[in-house]
Amino acid sequence: MFKQEASREGAAAQRVLDSHQHFWRITAPECAWPDADWPLLHRDFLPVDLAAETADIDLVGTVLVQSQPDDRDTDWLFALAAGEPGVLGVVAWAALDAPQAPARIAALAARPKCLGLRPMLQAIADAEWILRGDLAPAIDAIIAHRLRFDALVELRHLPALARFARRWPALPIVIDHAGKPDAATLTLDPWRADLAALAALPNVWCKLSGLRTQQAQGQDGAALAPYVAHVLESFGARAMWGSDWPVLHHAGDRYGDWIADTLALIGDADRPRLFEGAAREFYGLKQA
């Protein structure tokens, strides 16, 4: 059997709870990204598209994550998720610096399937924005309503995120896309030390997602080996797999490709924990 065929078989056989996927409508007024500069992403991606691409995957459910910093998008995601049993929960967006943030967070928390909030920190120039004192009422509300915090960050945010996590030890935090290391240039530092510092904090988890799109176009997924190894070594049972679908299309991949790459990279890691158990525990999802 060819190695490629073996990889496809392994991906199809792997039971998956996807901790990170998106839907968007490219013509919706609130959809600011992806634009025409992202040709492989510049179209609608909806539940029918995910179903078609995962027809041969043992996908037991997904966590639907916001992609637009707009209340209209968040409201649409909840309406969409209500009719999709495969969407187990939604990670929403809210303006944490708005005076009405605590009320908005309370309203979102009351909606079925609300799991957490994700401010789009990567788009904020100030790498220490999350440490602002005026965000405290919003963070208090997230904790009070037992929601989780998805940290969409870049390498420059990691030291501030560690300070934030220490300041709010009762807040469950998950780092999206392993903190976006500079995989295109095969650079490990300071990402390696900054991620290890975050892993030392028990309220911080990490998603093994989005790494293919951190690489250069055409770069081999095998080059991600030191990044994947460091995530697993640092976070252990607090690491969870996410597809970052459909953004992974930007790397020329399809859904099963990232599963196959992951299986080839993780060695003898605990696959049921990585591909399902960790996400269930972090987001408080019932066992199927």
Side-chain angles (χ1 to χ4, degrees):
M1 181 182 295
F2 293 106
K3 182 178 180 181
Q4 187 176 17
E5 292 174 348
S7 296
R8 288 199 194 105
E9 284 192 4
Q14 179 61 54
R15 178 179 165 99
V16 172
L17 194 168
D18 187 347
S19 72
H20 199 105
Q21 61 90 193
H22 306 287
F23 295 129
W24 58 66
R25 301 168 296 172
I26 207 68
T27 58
E30 67 272 14
C31 188
W33 182 89
D35 58 23
D37 291 336
W38 299 73
L40 296 178
L41 306 181
H42 194 241
R43 66 173 180 86
D44 291 354
F45 283 94
L46 298 168
V48 64
D49 302 296
L50 180 62
E53 197 163 327
T54 59
D56 61 346
I57 303 295
D58 186 8
L59 183 62
V60 299
T62 73
V63 174
L64 176 58
V65 180
Q66 63 80 222
S67 63
Q68 312 297 321
D70 193 298
D71 288 333
R72 294 171 296 179
D73 182 67
T74 289
D75 292 340
W76 173 71
L77 290 179
F78 279 108
L80 188 67
E84 295 293 333
V87 175
L88 305 182
V90 175
V91 176
W93 178 86
L96 301 187
D97 55 353
Q100 66 272 24
R104 174 65 170 168
I105 291 166
L108 291 173
R111 297 187 182 188
K113 298 191 178 183
C114 185
L115 301 179
L117 275 293
R118 184 172 88 145
M120 302 192 77
L121 301 180
Q122 71 171 11
I124 298 173
D126 180 4
E128 296 192 346
W129 180 87
I130 195 60
L131 298 173
R132 282 173 34 173
D134 63 334
L135 302 183
I139 306 304
D140 278 331
I142 295 172
I143 295 170
H145 293 287
R146 305 174 73 87
L147 298 176
R148 283 75 173 168
F149 185 97
D150 264 63
L152 176 61
V153 293
E154 296 174 335
L155 178 60
R156 62 192 174 92
H157 297 96
L158 296 183
L161 183 62
R163 291 169 60 193
F164 174 75
R166 287 192 292 268
R167 181 179 296 179
W168 302 97
L171 178 65
I173 298 167
V174 63
I175 305 167
D176 292 348
H177 314 324
K180 294 200 166 185
D182 186 4
T185 63
L186 304 180
T187 303
L188 285 167
D189 299 313
W191 170 82
R192 182 163 42 189
D194 289 343
L195 201 74
L198 280 156
L201 305 172
N203 58 322
V204 181
W205 299 52
C206 189
K207 289 185 182 180
L208 194 61
S209 62
L211 290 176
R212 286 286 285 137
T213 47
Q214 291 304 114
Q215 293 186 285
Q217 289 291 329
Q219 205 168 2
D220 193 333
L224 292 171
Y227 301 96
V228 171
H230 186 60
V231 168
L232 296 179
E233 179 182 353
S234 299
F235 286 92
R238 288 177 287 135
M240 66 190 76
W241 186 88
S243 69
D244 198 25
W245 182 93
V247 183
L248 59 83
H249 281 214
H250 182 66
D253 283 2
R254 294 181 63 79
Y255 198 100
D257 294 329
W258 178 230
I259 297 176
D261 278 347
T262 304
L263 291 172
L265 288 165
I266 62 175
D268 60 356
D270 185 342
R271 294 181 181 185
R273 178 70 183 179
L274 178 67
F275 281 95
E276 181 176 4
R280 285 199 186 277
E281 182 177 340
F282 179 79
Y283 284 115
L285 298 169
K286 293 180 180 178
Q287 187 66 40

